[in-house]
Amino acid sequence: MVRAPRLTESASAVFAVLAQAGTATRPQLASLARLSKPTVSSAVAELEGVHLAAHSGTSSGATGRSAAVYRLGPAAGAVLAVDLGPALTRVRGCALDGTLLAEATGPREDAADVVREALSALPADAPLRTIVVAVGDVTAPQKMRPATAKAGPVFDAVAVALPPGVPVHLENNVNCAALAELHEGAARGRHTFGYLRIGVGIGLGIVVGGQVLAGANGAAGELARLPYPWDDGLEPRHEALEEYIGSRSLLRRAGAAWPESDGARPRTAEQLFALAQGGSDAARAVVDRHAVDVGRLAAAVTAVLDPGLLVLGGSTGSFPQLLPGVRAELERLSWPTEVVSSQVGDLGTVVGAARLAVARGVQTVTEAARKKD
């Protein structure tokens, strides 16, 4: 791992705002960092000296005067985001200003090779600052480990391909997807909402005040742990709610109710929803019932959080056909809450993980700030 150079506090502040802005002039940097123009000039010179900033041309203002434009330099480095999905591994490499540098996708069982493919596409002279791995497990807040550490089979699937010594952060995949919806998807402009993922598993990303709520143990939003069933004479089972609402059970119910006259039963959620869209009464009945079940889960979420907005995502939750039924059941059981479909789809987790990786990558550079007397 290439360590970031030690910076003055002013250079650290200017680097952070330059990374967020992408490109900026010195007056713009002064405004964004809330520093004086002489201080910014000194900070920019310091950053240029260690190749963390570079000249990127000039711009003309309203008075006709030109100003130098700056961008991040080659020494700023890159970050890596890895989404270890149930079927696919998706990887993105980004510069610290968020620019996409590399991406790769492949089967989950080939996760290490997918990571190597993305790493090989990164600029050779760009130091890797941090890695975020999105997993379906509960992750403790701010959990970080070196790439050589052992963290069970989920992490081990990619650890062998990660460069040693680079900080690695494990993040919950649903929380990553919620961040993607916040910044690039259906929740843009909303600072409080819930991202409800319904797929093979179920989960909730909770955003309050523009920040993902992790909880004391990193387990906020673990809907699979809600007691189910909850009725006289019935004993709740461990993660039974996830088993009932998850896509595998949905397809089993569809198969059990499928009339022979309708031909082959659907084998995937995509087939089921396509048949419902095409007019199949049997498929429509299963989809409608699933919408009611998701609506009841949404009502439970609303009763606790009052999020104002629920974004439905996941391999089954993202189908717009669910919206009318979910909205109707939620309205019947709770107070008015907006419900919309995900706009980032299957890429949500890796997009959110990349955003987190960029933020942590910038932090690895700026936290080295020291006063130089």
Side-chain angles (χ1 to χ4, degrees):
M1 174 186 175
V2 178
R3 295 192 176 277
R6 298 177 66 179
L7 301 172
T8 59
E9 291 183 355
S10 57
S12 175
V14 169
F15 179 85
V17 297
L18 182 57
Q20 186 171 16
T23 60
T25 63
R26 278 180 289 185
Q28 289 170 334
L29 291 171
S31 176
L32 291 169
R34 297 182 179 181
L35 296 171
S36 68
K37 291 181 180 179
T39 299
V40 167
S41 293
S42 177
V44 168
E46 181 182 342
L47 293 172
E48 284 189 292
V50 291
H51 307 292
L52 290 174
H55 188 261
S56 183
T58 58
S59 67
S60 298
T63 62
R65 298 178 62 183
S66 61
V69 178
Y70 296 91
R71 57 174 173 78
L72 295 184
V79 298
L80 199 72
V82 182
D83 170 20
L84 288 175
L88 293 176
T89 296
R90 293 182 172 90
V91 184
R92 284 193 168 193
C94 296
L96 294 197
D97 61 1
T99 300
L100 181 64
L101 301 175
E103 58 183 339
T105 302
R108 171 67 179 267
E109 57 268 23
D110 297 332
D113 290 336
V114 179
V115 170
R116 292 188 185 100
E117 180 183 345
L119 284 171
S120 67
L122 292 176
D125 60 346
L128 193 60
R129 296 298 182 191
T130 193
I131 301 166
V132 167
V133 180
V135 297
D137 302 328
V138 173
T139 60
Q142 305 299 317
K143 195 166 191 177
M144 184 179 75
R145 65 193 74 232
T148 53
K150 295 294 183 181
V154 171
F155 182 68
D156 290 347
V158 296
V160 294
L162 301 180
V166 179
V168 178
H169 304 261
L170 301 185
E171 296 288 351
N172 179 266
N173 56 2
V174 178
N175 289 344
C176 289
L179 274 179
E181 296 290 350
L182 171 66
H183 294 285
E184 303 179 37
R188 279 174 293 185
R190 307 290 285 267
H191 298 291
T192 298
F193 70 97
Y195 170 75
L196 183 57
R197 171 174 283 184
I198 309 292
V200 175
I202 61 175
L204 177 70
I206 305 167
V207 176
V208 178
Q211 301 294 322
V212 172
L213 180 65
N217 300 295
E222 288 295 315
L223 298 179
R225 301 299 175 89
L226 287 174
Y228 179 85
W230 199 356
D231 200 355
D232 293 340
L234 297 176
E235 185 72 19
R237 305 186 311 278
H238 178 71
E239 296 187 351
L241 181 61
E242 181 173 75
E243 179 184 343
Y244 172 72
I245 293 185
S247 59
R248 293 190 180 98
S249 291
L250 172 66
L251 291 172
R252 282 197 295 268
R253 289 193 293 274
W258 203 253
E260 291 185 5
S261 59
D262 281 13
R265 64 180 182 175
R267 298 291 182 179
T268 66
E270 290 79 6
Q271 291 176 359
L272 174 64
F273 280 84
L275 288 166
Q277 185 72 27
S280 167
D281 290 338
R284 183 73 259 173
V286 174
V287 168
D288 287 347
R289 175 63 205 196
H290 192 55
V292 169
D293 291 333
V294 175
R296 291 174 180 175
L297 182 57
V301 169
T302 299
V304 174
L305 296 178
D306 186 21
L309 170 68
L310 282 174
V311 179
L312 298 184
S315 59
T316 59
S318 58
F319 283 98
Q321 290 168 259
L322 289 177
L323 284 177
V326 173
R327 288 168 174 165
E329 188 69 1
L330 177 56
E331 182 178 1
R332 185 179 75 85
L333 296 173
S334 193
W335 47 82
T337 300
E338 185 180 358
V339 183
V340 299
S341 296
S342 166
Q343 291 182 1
V344 295
D346 294 340
L347 293 177
T349 295
V350 74
V351 168
R355 181 170 287 274
L356 280 173
V358 165
R360 293 186 185 279
V362 171
Q363 185 181 5
T364 64
V365 176
T366 59
E367 70 185 3
R370 295 290 187 273
K371 283 281 189 181
K372 293 181 179 178
D373 296 322

